[in-house]
């Protein structure tokens, strides 16, 4: 009986050693997994940062190109966007920082349009663009810039919702070659409802493409 007890104790001891070894292996595996997970997370963070930097660089390039196109000036040479806040910083050809406050109201509006245009270009998606009161309070020079350079190129399909005070006959004429249809919405006071009619405010039927 004594010999049997000793044999059982040896077996139990062996099991304890095996269990201990298994536990060490499991702990080692867990440690390696944690280490690898940490490395993966670190790699993903670096990758995400690189993707963000690349995307920001692409947006900066397209917005700058768009702004220069609309502004028609060579003063602006550089643009940087804060990766977190997207706060823009403009630089001149001499390397000086040009704060947004120094831009006129019209120039700031053109920059806002440039942001939308640049983002659309970077996305690579052919999405329709709808612009409400497209010319707003812009002066004649900036209106002409948007009409001739932006509206025909903003997207494959562009819908302008303008008032009768924004796009005059001259501007409408410059848009003719890029326009598929003109419509006007007129409110009938007697019927208390609006009607949609083909043609612009001052156009004849022959003017409609």
């Amino acid at each position: 009986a004594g010999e049997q007890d000793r044999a059982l104790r040896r077996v139990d001891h062996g099991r304890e050693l095996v269990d201990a070894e298994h536990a060490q292996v499991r702990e080692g595996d867990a440690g390696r997994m944690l280490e690898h997970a940490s490395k993966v997370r670190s790699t993903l963070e670096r990758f995400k940062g690189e993707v963000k930097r690349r995307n920001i660089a692409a947006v900066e390039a397209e917005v700058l190109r768009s702004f220069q196109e609309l502004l028609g000036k060579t003063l602006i040479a550089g643009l940087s966007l804060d990766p977190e806040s997207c706060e823009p910083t403009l630089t001149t050809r001499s390397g000086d920082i040009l704060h947004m406050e120094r831009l006129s109201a019209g120039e700031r509006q053109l920059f806002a349009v440039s942001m939308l245009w640049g983002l659309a270009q970077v996305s690579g998606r052919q999405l329709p663009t709808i612009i409400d009161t497209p010319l707003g309070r812009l002066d004649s020079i900036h209106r002409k810039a948007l009409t001739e350079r932006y509206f025909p190129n903003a997207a494959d399909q562009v819908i302008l919702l303008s008032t009768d005070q924004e796009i005059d006959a001259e501007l409408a004429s410059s848009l003719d070659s890029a326009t598929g249809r003109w419509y006007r919405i007129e409110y009938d006071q007697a019927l208390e409802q609006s009607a949609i009619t083909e043609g612009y405010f001052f156009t004849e039927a022959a003017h409609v493409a």
Side-chain angles (χ1 to χ4, degrees):
E3 184 63 30
Q4 187 176 5
D5 289 339
R6 285 193 294 275
L8 290 173
R9 283 196 294 273
R10 284 197 297 274
V11 170
D12 290 338
H13 182 62
R15 287 175 178 169
E16 290 174 359
L17 291 176
V18 170
D19 290 341
E21 289 177 358
H22 285 173
Q24 289 178 350
V25 170
R26 286 194 299 272
E27 290 176 1
D29 288 343
R32 283 193 294 273
M33 289 177 65
L34 288 173
E35 182 181 356
H36 289 316
S38 177
K39 289 180 179 179
V40 168
R41 282 195 299 271
S42 177
T43 301
L44 287 176
E45 286 299 323
R46 289 198 301 272
F47 179 73
K48 183 172 69 175
E50 182 63 25
V51 168
K52 182 184 291 187
R53 282 191 293 274
R54 289 181 181 178
N55 286 342
I56 285 291
V59 171
E60 288 171 345
E62 283 299 329
V63 172
L64 177 61
R65 181 201 61 78
S66 301
F67 192 40
Q68 290 173 331
E69 176 75 14
L70 294 179
L71 206 56
K73 298 178 181 178
T74 58
L75 173 64
I76 307 300
L79 166 68
S80 63
L81 298 172
D82 186 283
E84 300 301 328
S85 65
C86 285
E87 183 73 23
T89 299
L90 297 168
T91 53
T92 65
R93 293 200 175 278
S94 59
D96 297 324
I97 293 178
L98 180 63
H99 296 286
M100 296 297 293
E101 305 83 61
R102 291 181 56 190
L103 299 179
S104 68
E107 289 170 338
R108 286 197 295 271
Q109 186 167 337
L110 290 186
F111 182 78
V113 171
S114 301
M115 286 287 289
L116 297 176
W117 196 3
L119 288 171
Q121 293 299 313
V122 171
S123 73
R125 297 184 179 182
Q126 297 300 327
L127 300 175
T129 297
I130 302 175
I131 307 173
D132 191 11
T133 53
L135 299 179
R137 300 177 180 175
L138 292 175
D139 59 28
S140 59
I141 296 177
H142 293 139
R143 288 187 177 200
K144 187 174 182 181
L146 282 182
T147 302
E148 295 181 353
R149 301 169 190 168
Y150 176 59
F151 295 154
N153 303 300
D156 284 355
Q157 183 181 33
V158 180
I159 300 174
L160 302 179
L161 306 175
S162 74
T163 68
D164 58 350
Q165 301 298 314
E166 292 181 87
I167 300 179
D168 58 19
E170 182 182 354
L171 293 179
S173 178
S174 67
L175 284 173
D176 249 349
S177 61
T179 302
R181 290 288 186 272
W182 298 86
Y183 297 96
R184 63 181 180 271
I185 303 175
E186 295 179 312
Y187 183 73
D188 190 313
Q189 294 281 0
L191 297 177
E192 296 186 346
Q193 64 182 26
S194 297
I196 299 177
T197 307
E198 195 166 359
Y200 201 52
F201 295 103
F202 45 78
T203 61
E204 301 296 333
H207 180 80
V208 180

